[in-house]
Every structure is written in C-alpha cells, then in structure tokens.
C-alpha cells in the first residue's frame, strides 16, 4: 500500500468452501492475474478483485482452520 488506510478493513470467513476474505476500502488492484496459487499450509490460492472503490482479497483454504 502506498499510504495509510483511512478506514479499517473488514474481514469474514466462509466455511464451505473454506475461505478468509478481507475487504480493503479505497484501494485498487494492479495485478496481471487476479488469482495466484500459493500452496502454503492450508492456503491453496489467493484472489484479489476490485469493485465499488474497494478490493476484496480472498484466501482459498483446503480446509477450515
């Protein structure tokens, strides 16, 4: 991030499929691919999408932790 956030991010989890989501207000995505495979521990991939002046980052998990 290029500067401090003016609002705190919101986060939530989803059980099925297992995911962790974080909403970052007033941000944009500058990525060639919106999903990146990471395969670290239970984390399989991470996806970032932009809509309505915010970015949602979702960590896709192999199981709920």
């Amino acid at each position: 991030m290029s500067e401090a956030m003016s609002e705190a991010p919101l986060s939530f989890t989803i059980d099925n499929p297992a995911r962790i989501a974080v909403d970052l207000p007033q941000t944009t995505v500058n990525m060639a691919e919106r999903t990146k495979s990471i395969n670290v521990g239970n984390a399989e991939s991470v996806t970032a999408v932009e809509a309505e002046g915010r970015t949602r980052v979702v960590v896709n998990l192999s199981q709920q932790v």
Side-chain angles (χ1 to χ4, degrees):
M1 302 192 68
S2 61
E3 58 186 69
M5 295 179 63
S6 61
E7 300 176 47
L10 301 173
S11 64
F12 59 94
T13 60
I14 301 169
D15 293 334
N16 190 17
R19 294 182 175 152
I20 300 169
V22 179
D23 285 344
L24 304 168
Q26 301 174 348
T27 58
T28 58
V29 176
N30 186 16
M31 298 170 43
E33 298 177 23
R34 66 177 216 163
T35 300
K36 176 75 174 160
S37 178
I38 54 177
N39 296 314
V40 175
N42 286 325
E44 295 179 339
S45 63
V46 63
T47 302
V49 294
E50 179 184 338
E52 299 177 13
R54 66 181 164 91
T55 298
R56 176 166 289 170
V57 178
V58 178
V59 179
N60 301 298
L61 306 170
S62 59
Q63 62 184 3
Q64 190 68 26
V65 292

